[in-house]
Amino acid sequence: MPVATVGETATNEVSVSEETIEAFAELSGDGNPIHLDDDYAAETMFGGRVAHGMLSAAVVSGALAGLSGDIVYLAQEISFEKPVFPGETIEASVSVIDDLGGDRLAVETTATVPERDERVLSGEATVLSVPHESS
């Protein structure tokens, strides 16, 4: 499999339900009531339950996996810009923006909620992209 190159893009999309949020809380160990308790979350600045920010970042990870080659996530600078609510969809887009040498690439990362046409996450990742070696 070839390696990713500058200009290559990939996307990933995940529908976020209350069950998705609960499963992510269980998997991550993040039981913050802003994600899990309707009454508690209603009194917060968001006015209701929101998905974990790292759930949006995980959708970015899925988009990175769509790039050519074997992708190894090395680093991520990330800004969480808006909340994601149950019932919404997270659409992550990644774009290779620079060849850093040594099989390392800089990748622009973005996640949006298409229903609101709003960006919820942005950042830049460093990944290793190498050919897949068959054994």
Side-chain angles (χ1 to χ4, degrees):
M1 177 182 278
V3 297
T5 58
V6 173
E8 185 173 344
T9 63
T11 61
N12 185 35
E13 186 176 285
V14 171
S15 296
V16 178
S17 64
E18 289 184 5
E19 293 79 15
T20 305
I21 294 170
E22 290 163 6
F24 193 85
E26 179 71 24
L27 177 68
S28 67
D30 181 350
N32 185 331
I34 200 166
H35 306 303
L36 302 174
D37 183 319
D38 287 320
D39 293 334
Y40 179 90
E43 297 176 9
T44 69
M45 62 191 271
F46 301 115
R49 289 174 62 181
V50 296
H52 302 73
M54 291 309 290
L55 178 56
S56 296
V59 180
V60 168
S61 181
L64 288 169
L67 295 173
S68 298
D70 285 348
I71 301 297
V72 178
Y73 218 150
L74 298 176
Q76 175 77 57
E77 177 186 311
I78 196 166
S79 294
F80 299 101
E81 299 174 9
K82 301 273 184 175
V84 175
F85 298 96
E88 295 184 322
T89 300
I90 301 168
E91 184 178 279
S93 301
V94 299
S95 178
V96 180
I97 57 173
D98 196 12
D99 184 335
L100 303 173
D103 296 326
R104 285 173 167 70
L105 301 169
V107 182
E108 180 179 64
T109 61
T110 304
T112 61
V113 171
E115 296 95 333
R116 286 189 272 137
D117 193 28
E118 285 189 322
R119 187 171 68 193
V120 296
L121 171 157
S122 64
E124 187 173 309
T126 303
V127 300
L128 188 65
S129 178
V130 295
H132 181 74
E133 308 245 346
S134 300
S135 47

